């Protein structure tokens, strides 16, 4: 298999367009890889296979439109071998460390990368940018950009902002203002286009 040559084992298999770690599997050999691909295809028509990285998982909340801000960095400590659906929602044993216990210089670098990633996709309002921080050398990898992260008062996104000095109610107000701002921009563009 080409995956075995280019990526090797272990690797992760996941549906391309699904959240909450649904359908994600870790494959350690060909049989597990085949089962993992079949499982992922139950949830999506596209499947991603990723190289295993021995890493910590850290996350940053981004807030804004054209001038986004980054929260403090938080870390997920999974109760499972990896942060799957069970570890997120069922066993209740995973923990969030906010702020993450990493050097300040590394934290600043991750926060800057979160803002760059947000701007690269022309994000608006909110996003949570998830990173892998490789254990052996602290090399940073962007894992994903979640453009609609969980938003209960106990979800990582609002907790990161709470630790950054923006409590839940204030965060909601800010997001409403950002939405109105972006909507107003779209209306102005449409109006200008209609006049042309």
């Amino acid at each position: 298999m080409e995956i075995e040559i280019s990526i090797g084992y272990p690797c992760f298999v996941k549906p391309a367009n699904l959240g909450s770690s649904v359908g994600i599997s870790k494959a350690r050999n060909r049989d597990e890889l085949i089962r993992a691909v079949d499982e992922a295809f139950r949830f999506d028509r596209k499947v991603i296979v990723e190289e295993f990285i021995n890493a910590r998982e850290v996350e940053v909340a981004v807030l804004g439109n054209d001038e986004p801000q980054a929260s403090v960095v938080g870390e997920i400590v999974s109760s499972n071998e990896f942060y799957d659906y069970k570890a997120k929602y069922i066993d209740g044993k995973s923990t969030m460390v906010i702020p993450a216990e990493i050097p300040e210089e590394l934290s600043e670098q991750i926060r800057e990368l979160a803002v760059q990633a947000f701007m690269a996709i022309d994000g608006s309002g909110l996003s949570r940018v998830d990173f892998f921080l490789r254990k052996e050398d602290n090399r940073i990898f962007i894992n994903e950009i979640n453009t609609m992260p969980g938003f209960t008062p106990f979800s990582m996104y609002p907790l990161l902002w709470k630790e950054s000095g923006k409590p839940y109610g204030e965060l909601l107000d800010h997001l409403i203002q950002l939405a109105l701002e972006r909507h107003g921009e779209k209306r102005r563009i449409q109006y200008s286009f209609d006049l042309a």
Side-chain angles (χ1 to χ4, degrees):
M1 289 181 122
E2 187 179 328
I3 291 169
E4 292 176 305
I5 296 165
S6 60
I7 295 177
Y9 296 110
C11 61
F12 285 94
V13 182
K14 54 185 162 182
N17 298 300
L18 201 61
S20 296
S21 299
V22 173
I24 296 180
S25 304
K26 184 176 182 180
R28 295 163 195 82
N29 56 54
R30 181 176 286 190
D31 289 341
E32 288 183 2
L33 178 60
I34 291 167
R35 283 195 300 275
V37 169
D38 287 344
E39 174 71 5
F41 272 125
R42 288 183 53 227
F43 299 99
D44 201 347
R45 54 189 231 129
K46 283 185 181 178
V47 169
I48 297 171
V49 181
E50 296 178 345
E51 175 185 354
F52 168 76
I53 299 172
N54 183 23
R56 298 164 67 180
E57 185 170 336
V58 297
E59 302 181 348
V60 176
V62 179
L63 177 68
N65 286 333
D66 297 326
E67 297 179 16
Q69 302 170 312
S71 71
V72 297
V73 179
E75 180 175 7
I76 298 291
V77 181
S78 179
S79 61
N80 236 348
E81 184 180 4
F82 65 97
Y83 199 44
D84 62 358
Y85 186 86
K86 180 181 174 189
K88 282 185 180 182
Y89 302 110
I90 296 174
D91 69 17
K93 296 177 184 173
S94 295
T95 58
M96 294 180 246
V97 179
I98 305 171
E101 295 172 357
I102 58 176
E104 183 61 32
E105 182 180 306
L106 188 58
S107 178
E108 284 304 312
Q109 187 178 359
I110 291 168
R111 292 176 72 234
E112 287 173 18
L113 287 170
V115 168
Q116 288 175 23
F118 181 85
M119 295 185 75
I121 65 162
D122 194 28
S124 65
L126 74 163
S127 286
R128 193 192 68 235
V129 187
D130 301 347
F131 297 87
F132 290 134
L133 188 56
R134 193 162 59 189
K135 289 181 179 177
E136 59 262 29
D137 60 4
N138 279 339
R139 183 169 176 198
I140 303 165
F141 296 85
I142 293 180
N143 179 31
E144 66 178 336
I145 302 171
N146 190 328
T147 57
M148 188 43 74
F151 206 86
T152 72
F154 309 104
S155 298
M156 182 64 119
Y157 186 89
L159 289 175
L160 287 167
W161 279 113
K162 181 179 178 184
E163 185 65 30
S164 301
K166 192 178 288 288
Y168 196 69
E170 187 179 322
L171 179 59
L172 290 173
D173 289 343
H174 195 150
L175 283 165
I176 291 167
Q177 285 304 120
L178 290 168
L180 292 170
E181 175 186 299
R182 187 51 51 101
H183 179 69
E185 290 172 8
K186 287 181 179 179
R187 287 185 59 105
R188 281 191 296 281
I189 291 168
Q190 181 62 44
Y191 179 73
S192 299
F193 185 74
D194 289 343
L195 292 176

